[in-house]
Coordinates of all heavy atoms in Angstrom, one line a residue:
M1 N -20.1 -7.0 43.2 CA -19.7 -7.9 42.0 C -20.5 -7.4 40.8 O -20.0 -7.4 39.7 CB -20.1 -9.3 42.4 CG -19.5 -10.3 41.4 SD -17.7 -10.3 41.3 CE -17.5 -11.1 39.7
K2 N -21.8 -7.1 41.0 CA -22.7 -6.6 39.9 C -22.1 -5.4 39.3 O -22.1 -5.2 38.1 CB -24.1 -6.3 40.5 CG -25.1 -6.4 39.5 CD -26.5 -6.2 40.1 CE -27.2 -4.9 39.7 NZ -28.4 -4.7 40.4
Y3 N -21.5 -4.5 40.1 CA -21.0 -3.2 39.6 C -19.7 -3.4 38.8 O -19.4 -2.7 37.9 CB -20.8 -2.3 40.8 CG -22.0 -1.8 41.5 CD1 -22.4 -2.3 42.8 CD2 -22.9 -1.0 40.8 CE1 -23.5 -1.9 43.4 CE2 -24.1 -0.6 41.4 CZ -24.4 -1.1 42.7 OH -25.6 -0.7 43.3
L4 N -19.0 -4.5 39.2 CA -17.7 -4.8 38.5 C -18.0 -5.1 37.0 O -17.3 -4.7 36.1 CB -17.0 -5.9 39.2 CG -15.6 -6.2 38.7 CD1 -14.6 -5.1 39.1 CD2 -15.1 -7.5 39.3
I5 N -19.1 -5.9 36.9 CA -19.4 -6.3 35.5 C -19.8 -5.1 34.6 O -19.4 -5.0 33.5 CB -20.6 -7.4 35.5 CG1 -20.0 -8.7 36.2 CG2 -21.1 -7.6 34.1 CD1 -21.1 -9.6 36.6
W6 N -20.6 -4.2 35.3 CA -21.0 -3.0 34.5 C -19.8 -2.1 34.3 O -19.8 -1.4 33.2 CB -22.1 -2.3 35.3 CG -23.5 -2.9 35.1 CD1 -24.1 -3.6 36.0 CD2 -24.2 -3.0 33.9 NE1 -25.3 -4.1 35.5 CE2 -25.4 -3.7 34.2 CE3 -24.0 -2.5 32.6 CZ2 -26.4 -4.0 33.2 CZ3 -25.0 -2.7 31.7 CH2 -26.1 -3.5 32.0
L7 N -18.9 -2.1 35.2 CA -17.7 -1.3 35.0 C -16.9 -1.8 33.8 O -16.4 -1.0 32.9 CB -16.8 -1.3 36.3 CG -15.7 -0.3 36.3 CD1 -16.2 1.1 36.5 CD2 -14.7 -0.7 37.4
V8 N -16.8 -3.1 33.7 CA -16.0 -3.7 32.5 C -16.8 -3.4 31.2 O -16.1 -3.0 30.2 CB -15.9 -5.2 32.8 CG1 -15.4 -5.9 31.5 CG2 -15.0 -5.5 33.9
V9 N -18.1 -3.5 31.2 CA -18.9 -3.2 30.0 C -18.7 -1.8 29.6 O -18.5 -1.5 28.5 CB -20.4 -3.6 30.3 CG1 -21.2 -3.1 29.1 CG2 -20.6 -5.1 30.4
L10 N -18.8 -0.9 30.6 CA -18.6 0.6 30.3 C -17.3 0.9 29.8 O -17.1 1.6 28.8 CB -18.8 1.4 31.6 CG -19.0 2.9 31.5 CD1 -20.3 3.2 30.9 CD2 -18.8 3.5 32.8
L11 N -16.2 0.2 30.3 CA -14.9 0.4 29.9 C -14.7 -0.1 28.4 O -14.1 0.6 27.6 CB -13.9 -0.3 30.8 CG -12.5 0.2 30.8 CD1 -12.4 1.5 31.6 CD2 -11.6 -0.9 31.5
A12 N -15.3 -1.2 28.1 CA -15.3 -1.7 26.8 C -15.9 -0.8 25.8 O -15.4 -0.5 24.7 CB -15.9 -3.1 26.7
V13 N -17.1 -0.2 26.2 CA -17.8 0.7 25.3 C -17.0 2.0 25.1 O -16.9 2.5 23.9 CB -19.2 1.1 25.9 CG1 -19.8 2.3 25.2 CG2 -20.1 -0.1 25.9
V14 N -16.3 2.5 26.1 CA -15.5 3.7 26.0 C -14.3 3.5 25.1 O -14.0 4.3 24.2 CB -15.0 4.2 27.4 CG1 -13.9 5.2 27.3 CG2 -16.2 4.7 28.2
V15 N -13.6 2.3 25.2 CA -12.5 2.0 24.4 C -13.0 1.9 22.9 O -12.3 2.4 22.0 CB -11.8 0.7 24.8 CG1 -10.9 0.2 23.8 CG2 -11.1 0.9 26.2
W16 N -14.2 1.2 22.7 CA -14.7 1.0 21.4 C -15.0 2.4 20.7 O -14.7 2.6 19.6 CB -16.0 0.2 21.5 CG -16.5 -0.1 20.1 CD1 -16.1 -1.0 19.2 CD2 -17.7 0.6 19.5 NE1 -16.9 -0.9 18.1 CE2 -17.9 0.0 18.3 CE3 -18.5 1.6 20.0 CZ2 -18.9 0.5 17.4 CZ3 -19.5 2.0 19.2 CH2 -19.7 1.5 17.9
F17 N -15.6 3.3 21.5 CA -15.9 4.6 21.0 C -14.6 5.4 20.6 O -14.6 6.1 19.6 CB -16.7 5.5 22.0 CG -18.2 5.5 21.8 CD1 -19.0 4.8 22.7 CD2 -18.7 6.1 20.7 CE1 -20.4 4.8 22.5 CE2 -20.1 6.0 20.5 CZ -20.9 5.4 21.4
Q18 N -13.6 5.3 21.4 CA -12.4 6.0 21.1 C -11.7 5.5 19.8 O -11.2 6.2 19.0 CB -11.4 5.9 22.3 CG -11.8 6.9 23.4 CD -10.9 6.7 24.6 OE1 -10.2 5.7 24.8 NE2 -10.8 7.8 25.4
R19 N -11.8 4.2 19.6 CA -11.2 3.6 18.4 C -12.0 4.0 17.2 O -11.5 4.3 16.2 CB -11.2 2.0 18.6 CG -10.1 1.5 19.4 CD -9.9 0.0 19.3 NE -8.9 -0.5 20.2 CZ -8.7 -1.8 20.3 NH1 -9.3 -2.7 19.7 NH2 -7.7 -2.1 21.2
A20 N -13.3 4.0 17.3 CA -14.2 4.4 16.2 C -14.0 5.8 15.8 O -13.9 6.2 14.7 CB -15.7 4.2 16.7
K21 N -13.8 6.7 16.8 CA -13.5 8.1 16.6 C -12.2 8.3 15.9 O -12.1 9.1 15.0 CB -13.5 8.9 17.9 CG -13.7 10.3 17.8 CD -14.2 11.0 19.0 CE -13.2 11.2 20.1 NZ -13.7 11.9 21.3
K22 N -11.2 7.5 16.3 CA -9.8 7.6 15.7 C -9.8 7.2 14.3 O -9.3 7.8 13.4 CB -8.9 6.7 16.5 CG -7.4 7.2 16.5 CD -6.5 6.3 17.3 CE -6.5 6.6 18.7 NZ -5.6 5.8 19.5
S23 N -10.6 6.1 14.0 CA -10.6 5.6 12.6 C -11.5 6.5 11.7 O -11.2 6.6 10.5 CB -11.2 4.1 12.6 OG -12.5 4.1 13.0
M24 N -12.4 7.2 12.3 CA -13.2 8.1 11.6 C -12.4 9.3 11.2 O -12.5 9.8 10.0 CB -14.4 8.6 12.4 CG -15.8 8.4 11.7 SD -17.1 9.2 12.6 CE -17.3 8.1 13.9
L25 N -11.6 9.8 12.1 CA -10.7 10.9 11.8 C -9.7 10.6 10.7 O -9.4 11.3 9.9 CB -10.0 11.4 13.1 CG -10.8 12.1 14.1 CD1 -10.1 12.3 15.4 CD2 -11.3 13.5 13.6
A26 N -9.1 9.4 10.8 CA -8.2 8.9 9.8 C -8.8 8.8 8.4 O -8.1 9.0 7.5 CB -7.6 7.6 10.3
G27 N -10.0 8.4 8.4 CA -10.7 8.2 7.1 C -11.1 9.5 6.5 O -11.2 9.6 5.3
S28 N -11.4 10.6 7.3 CA -11.9 11.8 6.7 C -10.8 12.9 6.5 O -11.1 13.9 6.0 CB -12.9 12.4 7.7 OG -12.4 12.7 8.9
D29 N -9.5 12.5 6.7 CA -8.5 13.6 6.6 C -8.2 13.8 5.1 O -7.4 14.7 4.8 CB -7.3 13.2 7.4 CG -6.5 12.0 6.9 OD1 -7.1 11.3 6.1 OD2 -5.5 11.7 7.4
A30 N -8.6 12.9 4.2 CA -8.3 13.0 2.8 C -9.0 14.3 2.2 O -8.5 14.8 1.2 CB -8.8 11.8 2.0
G31 N -10.0 14.8 2.8 CA -10.6 16.0 2.3 C -12.1 16.0 2.2 O -12.7 14.9 2.4
D32 N -12.7 17.1 1.8 CA -14.1 17.2 1.7 C -14.5 17.2 0.2 O -14.7 18.2 -0.4 CB -14.5 18.5 2.3 CG -13.3 19.4 2.7 OD1 -12.7 19.9 1.8 OD2 -13.0 19.5 3.9
G33 N -14.6 16.0 -0.4 CA -15.2 15.9 -1.7 C -14.2 16.0 -2.8 O -14.2 15.1 -3.7
A34 N -13.3 17.0 -2.8 CA -12.4 17.2 -3.9 C -11.5 16.1 -4.2 O -11.3 15.7 -5.3 CB -11.6 18.5 -3.6
A35 N -10.9 15.5 -3.1 CA -9.9 14.4 -3.2 C -10.5 13.1 -2.8 O -9.8 12.2 -2.6 CB -8.7 14.7 -2.4
A36 N -11.8 13.0 -2.8 CA -12.4 11.8 -2.3 C -12.2 10.6 -3.3 O -12.1 9.5 -2.8 CB -13.9 12.0 -2.1
D37 N -12.1 10.9 -4.6 CA -12.0 9.8 -5.5 C -10.5 9.5 -5.9 O -10.2 8.6 -6.7 CB -12.7 10.1 -6.8 CG -12.3 11.5 -7.4 OD1 -11.7 12.3 -6.7 OD2 -12.7 11.7 -8.6
V38 N -9.6 10.1 -5.1 CA -8.2 9.8 -5.3 C -7.9 8.5 -4.5 O -8.1 8.5 -3.3 CB -7.2 11.0 -4.8 CG1 -5.8 10.6 -4.9 CG2 -7.5 12.2 -5.7
P39 N -7.3 7.5 -5.1 CA -7.0 6.3 -4.3 C -6.0 6.5 -3.3 O -5.0 7.3 -3.5 CB -6.5 5.3 -5.4 CG -6.1 6.1 -6.5 CD -6.9 7.4 -6.5
K40 N -6.1 5.8 -2.2 CA -5.1 6.0 -1.1 C -3.8 5.3 -1.5 O -3.8 4.2 -2.1 CB -5.7 5.3 0.2 CG -6.8 6.1 0.8 CD -6.9 5.9 2.2 CE -7.7 6.9 2.9 NZ -9.1 7.0 2.5
P41 N -2.7 6.0 -1.2 CA -1.4 5.4 -1.7 C -1.1 4.0 -1.1 O -0.4 3.2 -1.7 CB -0.4 6.5 -1.2 CG -1.1 7.3 -0.3 CD -2.5 7.3 -0.6
K42 N -1.5 3.8 0.2 CA -1.2 2.5 0.8 C -1.9 1.3 0.2 O -1.4 0.2 0.3 CB -1.5 2.6 2.3 CG -2.9 2.6 2.7 CD -3.1 2.6 4.2 CE -4.6 2.7 4.6 NZ -4.8 2.7 6.0
A43 N -3.0 1.6 -0.6 CA -3.7 0.5 -1.2 C -2.9 -0.1 -2.3 O -3.0 -1.3 -2.6 CB -5.0 1.1 -1.8
S44 N -2.1 0.7 -3.0 CA -1.3 0.2 -4.1 C 0.2 0.0 -3.8 O 1.0 0.0 -4.7 CB -1.5 1.1 -5.3 OG -1.0 2.4 -5.0
R45 N 0.5 -0.1 -2.5 CA 1.9 -0.2 -2.2 C 2.5 -1.5 -2.7 O 3.6 -1.6 -3.1 CB 2.0 -0.2 -0.6 CG 3.4 -0.1 -0.2 CD 3.5 0.3 1.3 NE 4.9 0.4 1.7 CZ 5.2 0.6 2.9 NH1 4.3 0.9 3.8 NH2 6.5 0.6 3.3
F46 N 1.7 -2.6 -2.6 CA 2.2 -3.9 -3.1 C 1.4 -4.3 -4.3 O 0.2 -4.5 -4.2 CB 2.2 -4.9 -2.0 CG 3.1 -4.6 -0.9 CD1 2.7 -4.2 0.3 CD2 4.5 -4.8 -1.1 CE1 3.5 -3.9 1.3 CE2 5.4 -4.5 0.0 CZ 4.9 -4.0 1.2
R47 N 2.0 -4.5 -5.4 CA 1.4 -5.1 -6.6 C 1.2 -6.6 -6.4 O 2.1 -7.2 -5.9 CB 2.1 -4.8 -7.8 CG 2.0 -3.3 -8.3 CD 2.8 -3.1 -9.5 NE 2.1 -3.9 -10.6 CZ 1.5 -3.3 -11.6 NH1 1.4 -2.0 -11.7 NH2 0.9 -4.1 -12.6
R48 N 0.2 -7.1 -6.9 CA 0.0 -8.6 -6.8 C 0.0 -9.1 -8.2 O -0.7 -8.6 -9.1 CB -1.4 -8.9 -6.1 CG -1.4 -8.4 -4.7 CD -0.7 -9.4 -3.8 NE -0.5 -8.7 -2.5 CZ 0.1 -9.3 -1.5 NH1 0.5 -10.6 -1.6 NH2 0.2 -8.7 -0.3
S49 N 0.7 -10.2 -8.4 CA 0.6 -10.9 -9.7 C -0.6 -11.7 -9.8 O -1.4 -11.7 -8.8 CB 1.9 -11.8 -9.9 OG 1.9 -12.7 -8.8
A50 N -0.8 -12.3 -10.9 CA -2.1 -13.0 -11.2 C -2.4 -14.1 -10.2 O -3.5 -14.4 -9.8 CB -2.0 -13.6 -12.6
D51 N -1.3 -14.8 -9.7 CA -1.5 -15.9 -8.7 C -1.6 -15.4 -7.3 O -1.7 -16.2 -6.4 CB -0.4 -16.9 -8.9 CG 1.0 -16.3 -8.7 OD1 1.1 -15.1 -8.4 OD2 1.9 -17.1 -8.8
G52 N -1.6 -14.1 -7.1 CA -1.8 -13.6 -5.7 C -0.6 -13.3 -4.9 O -0.7 -12.8 -3.8
N53 N 0.5 -13.7 -5.4 CA 1.8 -13.5 -4.7 C 2.4 -12.1 -5.0 O 2.1 -11.6 -6.0 CB 2.8 -14.6 -5.0 CG 2.4 -16.0 -4.6 OD1 1.8 -16.1 -3.5 ND2 2.6 -16.9 -5.5
A54 N 3.1 -11.6 -4.0 CA 3.8 -10.3 -4.2 C 4.8 -10.5 -5.3 O 5.5 -11.5 -5.4 CB 4.5 -9.9 -2.9
E55 N 4.8 -9.5 -6.2 CA 5.7 -9.6 -7.4 C 7.1 -9.1 -7.1 O 7.3 -8.2 -6.3 CB 5.1 -8.7 -8.5 CG 5.1 -9.4 -9.8 CD 4.4 -8.6 -10.9 OE1 3.2 -8.3 -10.7 OE2 5.0 -8.3 -11.9
T56 N 8.1 -9.7 -7.7 CA 9.5 -9.3 -7.6 C 9.7 -8.0 -8.3 O 9.2 -7.8 -9.4 CB 10.4 -10.4 -8.2 OG1 10.0 -11.7 -7.6 CG2 11.8 -10.1 -7.9
M57 N 10.4 -7.1 -7.6 CA 10.7 -5.8 -8.2 C 12.2 -5.9 -8.7 O 13.1 -6.5 -8.1 CB 10.6 -4.7 -7.1 CG 9.3 -4.6 -6.5 SD 8.0 -4.2 -7.6 CE 8.2 -2.4 -7.6
V58 N 12.3 -5.3 -9.9 CA 13.7 -5.2 -10.5 C 14.0 -3.7 -10.8 O 13.1 -2.8 -10.8 CB 13.8 -6.0 -11.8 CG1 13.7 -7.5 -11.5 CG2 12.7 -5.6 -12.8
Q59 N 15.3 -3.4 -11.0 CA 15.7 -2.0 -11.2 C 16.1 -1.8 -12.6 O 16.8 -2.7 -13.2 CB 16.9 -1.7 -10.3 CG 17.3 -0.2 -10.3 CD 18.3 0.0 -9.2 OE1 19.0 -0.9 -8.8 NE2 18.5 1.3 -8.9
C60 N 15.7 -0.8 -13.2 CA 16.1 -0.4 -14.6 C 17.6 -0.2 -14.6 O 18.1 0.7 -13.9 CB 15.3 0.8 -15.1 SG 15.8 1.3 -16.8
A61 N 18.3 -0.8 -15.6 CA 19.7 -0.7 -15.7 C 20.1 0.7 -16.3 O 21.2 1.1 -16.2 CB 20.3 -1.8 -16.5
H62 N 19.1 1.4 -16.8 CA 19.4 2.7 -17.4 C 19.1 3.9 -16.5 O 19.9 4.7 -16.2 CB 18.6 2.9 -18.7 CG 18.9 4.2 -19.5 ND1 20.1 4.4 -20.1 CD2 18.2 5.3 -19.6 CE1 20.1 5.7 -20.6 NE2 18.9 6.2 -20.3
C63 N 17.9 3.9 -16.0 CA 17.4 5.1 -15.2 C 17.4 4.7 -13.7 O 17.2 5.6 -12.8 CB 16.1 5.6 -15.6 SG 14.7 4.5 -15.4
G64 N 17.4 3.5 -13.3 CA 17.4 3.1 -11.9 C 16.1 3.0 -11.2 O 16.0 2.7 -10.0
I65 N 15.0 3.2 -12.0 CA 13.7 3.1 -11.4 C 13.4 1.6 -11.0 O 13.8 0.7 -11.7 CB 12.6 3.7 -12.3 CG1 11.3 4.0 -11.6 CG2 12.3 2.8 -13.5 CD1 10.3 4.8 -12.4
H66 N 12.6 1.4 -10.0 CA 12.1 0.0 -9.6 C 10.8 -0.2 -10.1 O 9.9 0.6 -10.0 CB 12.2 -0.1 -8.1 CG 13.6 -0.2 -7.5 ND1 14.3 0.9 -7.2 CD2 14.3 -1.3 -7.2 CE1 15.5 0.5 -6.7 NE2 15.5 -0.8 -6.7
F67 N 10.5 -1.4 -10.6 CA 9.2 -1.8 -11.2 C 9.0 -3.3 -11.2 O 10.0 -4.0 -11.0 CB 9.1 -1.2 -12.7 CG 10.2 -1.7 -13.5 CD1 10.1 -2.8 -14.3 CD2 11.5 -1.0 -13.5 CE1 11.1 -3.2 -15.1 CE2 12.5 -1.5 -14.3 CZ 12.4 -2.5 -15.1
P68 N 7.8 -3.8 -11.3 CA 7.5 -5.2 -11.3 C 8.2 -5.9 -12.5 O 8.3 -5.4 -13.6 CB 6.0 -5.3 -11.4 CG 5.5 -4.0 -11.1 CD 6.5 -3.0 -11.5
V69 N 8.7 -7.1 -12.2 CA 9.5 -7.9 -13.2 C 8.6 -8.2 -14.4 O 9.1 -8.4 -15.5 CB 10.1 -9.1 -12.5 CG1 9.1 -10.2 -12.2 CG2 11.2 -9.7 -13.4
S70 N 7.3 -8.3 -14.2 CA 6.4 -8.7 -15.3 C 6.4 -7.6 -16.4 O 6.0 -7.8 -17.5 CB 5.0 -8.9 -14.8 OG 4.5 -7.8 -14.2
E71 N 6.8 -6.3 -16.0 CA 6.8 -5.2 -16.9 C 8.1 -4.9 -17.5 O 8.3 -4.0 -18.3 CB 6.3 -3.9 -16.2 CG 4.8 -4.0 -15.8 CD 4.4 -2.8 -15.0 OE1 5.1 -1.7 -15.1 OE2 3.3 -2.9 -14.3
A72 N 9.1 -5.8 -17.1 CA 10.5 -5.5 -17.5 C 10.7 -5.9 -19.0 O 10.1 -6.8 -19.5 CB 11.4 -6.3 -16.6
V73 N 11.6 -5.1 -19.6 CA 12.1 -5.4 -20.9 C 13.5 -5.9 -20.7 O 14.4 -5.2 -20.2 CB 12.1 -4.1 -21.8 CG1 12.7 -4.4 -23.2 CG2 10.8 -3.5 -21.9
V74 N 13.7 -7.2 -21.0 CA 15.0 -7.9 -20.7 C 15.9 -7.8 -21.9 O 15.5 -8.2 -23.0 CB 14.7 -9.3 -20.2 CG1 16.0 -10.0 -19.8 CG2 13.7 -9.4 -19.1
H75 N 17.1 -7.4 -21.6 CA 18.1 -7.3 -22.7 C 18.7 -8.7 -22.9 O 18.6 -9.6 -22.0 CB 19.2 -6.3 -22.3 CG 20.2 -6.0 -23.3 ND1 21.5 -6.4 -23.3 CD2 20.1 -5.2 -24.4 CE1 22.1 -6.0 -24.4 NE2 21.3 -5.2 -25.1
A76 N 19.4 -8.9 -24.0 CA 20.1 -10.2 -24.3 C 21.1 -10.5 -23.2 O 21.4 -11.7 -22.9 CB 20.7 -10.1 -25.6
S77 N 21.7 -9.5 -22.6 CA 22.7 -9.7 -21.5 C 22.1 -10.1 -20.2 O 22.8 -10.4 -19.2 CB 23.5 -8.4 -21.4 OG 22.7 -7.3 -20.9
G78 N 20.7 -10.0 -20.1 CA 20.0 -10.4 -18.9 C 19.7 -9.1 -18.0 O 19.0 -9.2 -17.0
A79 N 20.1 -7.9 -18.5 CA 19.8 -6.7 -17.7 C 18.3 -6.3 -17.9 O 17.7 -6.6 -19.0 CB 20.6 -5.6 -18.2
H80 N 17.7 -5.8 -16.9 CA 16.3 -5.4 -17.0 C 16.1 -3.9 -17.2 O 16.9 -3.1 -16.7 CB 15.6 -5.7 -15.6 CG 15.4 -7.2 -15.4 ND1 16.4 -7.9 -14.7 CD2 14.5 -8.0 -15.7 CE1 16.0 -9.1 -14.6 NE2 14.9 -9.3 -15.2
Y81 N 15.2 -3.5 -18.1 CA 14.9 -2.1 -18.4 C 13.4 -1.8 -18.2 O 12.6 -2.7 -18.4 CB 15.3 -1.8 -19.8 CG 16.8 -1.9 -20.0 CD1 17.4 -3.1 -20.5 CD2 17.7 -0.9 -19.7 CE1 18.7 -3.3 -20.6 CE2 19.1 -1.0 -19.8 CZ 19.6 -2.2 -20.3 OH 20.9 -2.4 -20.4
C82 N 13.1 -0.6 -17.8 CA 11.7 -0.2 -17.6 C 10.9 0.0 -18.9 O 9.7 -0.1 -18.9 CB 11.6 1.1 -16.8 SG 12.3 2.5 -17.6
S83 N 11.6 0.2 -20.0 CA 10.9 0.4 -21.3 C 11.8 0.0 -22.4 O 13.0 -0.1 -22.3 CB 10.5 1.9 -21.4 OG 11.6 2.7 -21.4
E84 N 11.2 -0.2 -23.6 CA 11.9 -0.5 -24.8 C 12.9 0.6 -25.1 O 14.0 0.3 -25.6 CB 10.9 -0.7 -25.9 CG 11.5 -1.3 -27.2 CD 12.0 -2.8 -27.0 OE1 11.3 -3.6 -26.3 OE2 13.1 -3.1 -27.5
E85 N 12.5 1.8 -24.9 CA 13.3 3.0 -25.2 C 14.6 2.9 -24.3 O 15.7 3.2 -24.9 CB 12.5 4.3 -24.9 CG 13.2 5.5 -25.3 CD 12.4 6.8 -24.9 OE1 11.3 6.7 -24.4 OE2 13.0 7.9 -25.1
H86 N 14.5 2.6 -23.1 CA 15.7 2.6 -22.2 C 16.6 1.4 -22.6 O 17.8 1.5 -22.5 CB 15.3 2.5 -20.7 CG 15.0 3.9 -20.2 ND1 14.6 4.1 -18.9 CD2 14.9 5.1 -20.8 CE1 14.4 5.4 -18.7 NE2 14.5 6.0 -19.9
R87 N 16.0 0.3 -23.0 CA 16.8 -0.8 -23.5 C 17.6 -0.4 -24.7 O 18.8 -0.7 -24.9 CB 15.9 -2.0 -23.8 CG 16.7 -3.3 -24.0 CD 15.9 -4.4 -24.6 NE 15.3 -4.0 -26.0 CZ 16.0 -4.1 -27.1 NH1 17.2 -4.5 -27.1 NH2 15.5 -3.6 -28.2
H88 N 16.9 0.3 -25.6 CA 17.5 0.8 -26.8 C 18.7 1.8 -26.5 O 19.7 1.7 -27.1 CB 16.5 1.4 -27.7 CG 16.9 1.7 -29.1 ND1 17.2 0.8 -30.0 CD2 17.2 2.9 -29.7 CE1 17.6 1.3 -31.2 NE2 17.6 2.6 -31.0
L89 N 18.4 2.7 -25.6 CA 19.3 3.8 -25.3 C 20.6 3.2 -24.6 O 21.7 3.6 -24.8 CB 18.7 4.8 -24.3 CG 17.8 5.8 -24.9 CD1 17.1 6.5 -23.8 CD2 18.5 6.8 -25.8
A90 N 20.4 2.1 -23.8 CA 21.5 1.5 -23.1 C 22.4 0.7 -24.0 O 23.5 0.4 -23.7 CB 20.9 0.6 -22.0
S91 N 21.9 0.3 -25.1 CA 22.7 -0.6 -26.0 C 23.7 0.2 -26.9 O 24.5 -0.4 -27.5 CB 21.7 -1.4 -27.0 OG 21.0 -0.5 -27.8
F92 N 23.6 1.5 -26.7 CA 24.6 2.3 -27.5 C 25.8 2.7 -26.6 O 25.6 2.8 -25.4 CB 23.9 3.6 -28.0 CG 23.0 3.4 -29.1 CD1 21.7 3.5 -29.0 CD2 23.6 3.0 -30.3 CE1 20.8 3.3 -30.1 CE2 22.7 2.7 -31.4 CZ 21.4 2.9 -31.3
Ligands
ZN101 ZN1 14.5 3.1 -17.3

């Protein structure tokens, strides 16, 4: 019975080490110094509005790009545009 407890503890330590090794490898694949200050893409995958909720994405009616609704330029017709320039171009 005493050995069973030690076996469980040893197993837990081995699993913990393997997870630590895996996360260390994932963290260091970005490179050696050169790209260390580049932000990870997954960090900015979801933009958060001021109240902490995920922001609604809209599509530019001119170029089709998706962007947060807070940055949208809204036409009188209700269409969303990514910039004032695209709203202007689309009105012709
Ligand atoms: Zn656009």
Side-chain angles (χ1 to χ4, degrees):
M1 190 64 195
K2 201 174 114 185
Y3 295 109
L4 189 71
I5 292 164
W6 281 110
L7 191 73
V8 169
V9 170
L10 190 73
L11 205 69
V13 169
V14 168
V15 169
W16 181 79
F17 261 113
Q18 282 177 340
R19 282 189 186 177
K21 200 157 76 176
K22 207 180 278 180
S23 66
M24 230 190 287
L25 287 171
S28 64
D29 67 351
D32 8 72
D37 54 346
V38 176
K40 290 207 160 63
K42 68 178 178 180
S44 58
R45 190 166 176 184
F46 294 106
R47 285 182 66 109
R48 298 278 167 180
S49 58
D51 58 1
N53 294 320
E55 227 175 301
T56 307
M57 302 296 278
V58 290
Q59 189 174 17
C60 176
H62 182 72
C63 65
I65 197 170
H66 287 83
F67 55 96
V69 72
S70 63
E71 293 176 17
V73 178
V74 184
H75 190 255
S77 66
H80 293 90
Y81 296 94
C82 65
S83 61
E84 190 64 43
E85 190 184 350
H86 278 183
R87 189 193 62 80
H88 190 70
L89 285 169
S91 64
F92 287 111

